[in-house]
Amino acid sequence: MSKVSYYTAEGLKKLREELSYLKDVERPKASKAIGEARDKGDLSENAEYDAAKEAQGLLELRISKMEETLANARVIDESQLDTSKVLVLSTVKLKNLNNGMEMKYTLVAESEADLKAAKISVNSPIGKGLLGKKVGEVAEISVPNGVLKFEILEISR
């Protein structure tokens, strides 16, 4: 079963570029490594050959998964999104009710998540806990350390 994943236009472009790099640069490198290892003699006792074949298998698996992800990817039209509640691509200003800190996060697809850029995955515990909430609501999110309470102060795009 393949699941649809949603991306920004920028995120989808990055995914396509990475797939292209794997196919055009990494795949030929893997083939070359196998060829060089094969030239070193007896394949039954050639650890270098086995390692190169395994690396190629992992690369092909990664390429296959990325192709499947791309086949099921959809670009989100940000202009059509509702700002009354938290959705994918919402920028949410939160107040942590446990310590009083305010923070701002943008909810994105898992592959685009980057905490340094304040982008959190909608599949993360915090992301899941915020989805569907409205301004003024309190999201109670269970994390390994206990329960976090966030008040939603503002939702924007």
Side-chain angles (χ1 to χ4, degrees):
M1 288 282 270
S2 55
K3 65 177 189 171
V4 173
S5 46
Y6 295 95
Y7 291 87
T8 60
E10 173 190 339
L12 197 59
K13 182 179 178 230
K14 277 175 57 175
L15 196 63
R16 283 191 177 115
E17 287 170 355
E18 185 179 351
L19 179 61
S20 177
Y21 174 78
L22 290 176
K23 284 180 166 182
D24 300 340
V25 177
E26 292 298 323
R27 189 181 267 167
K29 276 186 192 176
S31 295
K32 184 179 178 190
I34 290 171
E36 288 173 359
R38 189 181 303 125
D39 292 342
K40 293 185 178 171
D42 185 11
L43 296 182
S44 63
E45 296 179 16
N46 189 335
E48 194 175 325
Y49 177 78
D50 292 340
K53 285 295 282 182
E54 186 174 335
Q56 182 190 37
L58 292 173
L59 176 67
E60 291 301 325
L61 179 65
R62 190 167 163 206
I63 288 172
S64 173
K65 285 189 181 219
M66 285 185 83
E67 286 175 334
E68 182 181 341
T69 299
L70 270 171
N72 296 307
R74 303 290 180 266
V75 176
I76 298 172
D77 180 3
E78 294 181 58
S79 66
Q80 301 297 315
L81 295 176
D82 179 12
T83 56
S84 68
K85 59 186 174 186
V86 179
L87 301 168
V88 177
L89 293 184
S90 294
T91 299
V92 186
K93 186 175 182 183
L94 306 167
K95 181 176 185 177
N96 184 332
L97 298 179
N98 297 347
N99 62 15
M101 282 182 55
E102 288 187 12
M103 59 208 87
K104 208 173 205 177
Y105 291 118
T106 301
L107 274 69
V108 295
E110 197 166 346
S111 63
E112 294 183 62
D114 179 4
L115 198 54
K116 290 177 188 165
K119 293 181 177 183
I120 60 172
S121 168
V122 291
N123 296 331
S124 69
I126 294 174
K128 284 180 181 176
L130 293 175
L131 285 176
K133 299 285 189 239
K134 296 180 180 187
V135 174
E137 285 189 292
V138 174
E140 292 188 17
I141 301 164
S142 295
V143 293
N145 279 359
V147 176
L148 296 175
K149 292 182 181 181
F150 293 108
E151 180 181 355
I152 297 169
L153 303 176
E154 182 183 307
I155 302 170
S156 60
R157 295 275 171 243

